[in-house]
Amino acid sequence: MGDRWHVEVDRSVCIGSGMCVNHAPAGFELDTARQSHPRTPDTDANEQILAAAEGCPVEAILITLLDSRETVFPPEE
């Protein structure tokens, strides 16, 4: 069984570019205020979600391991 992730969008940082929806349309959607949010906050790890987080121009997407809350993205510096 693979990793499970918890996905969050910091709505105070999100600029509504829609890049996350382009990379992972099954993972993210924009609301009427053009703010992103995950369709399913707790999900199986997958490349589309990670690509969406990496492609976010303001790094508004946070991915952590569901069980341990260890950060997957953004990488710790």
Side-chain angles (χ1 to χ4, degrees), residues 7 16 25:
V7 181

Side-chain angles (χ1 to χ4, degrees), residues 16-40:
S17 72
M19 294 301 294
C20 56
V21 176
N22 288 337
H23 285 288
F28 295 92
E29 61 187 345
L30 298 179
D31 62 20
T32 56
R34 292 205 44 88
Q35 293 286 293
S36 176
H37 56 94
R39 291 181 184 269
T40 308

Side-chain angles (χ1 to χ4, degrees), residues 38-54:
R39 291 181 184 269
T40 308
D42 297 337
T43 186
D44 291 331
N46 71 70
E47 291 299 316
Q48 292 83 16
I49 297 287
L50 183 58
E54 292 173 338

Side-chain angles (χ1 to χ4, degrees), residues 3-9 26-29 36-46 49 61-67 69:
D3 287 335
R4 297 266 305 152
W5 287 347
H6 178 74
V7 181
E8 297 177 45
V9 175
F28 295 92
E29 61 187 345
S36 176
H37 56 94
R39 291 181 184 269
T40 308
D42 297 337
T43 186
D44 291 331
N46 71 70
I49 297 287
I61 301 170
L62 173 66
I63 303 171
T64 56
L65 292 175
L66 187 58
D67 292 334
R69 295 296 187 191

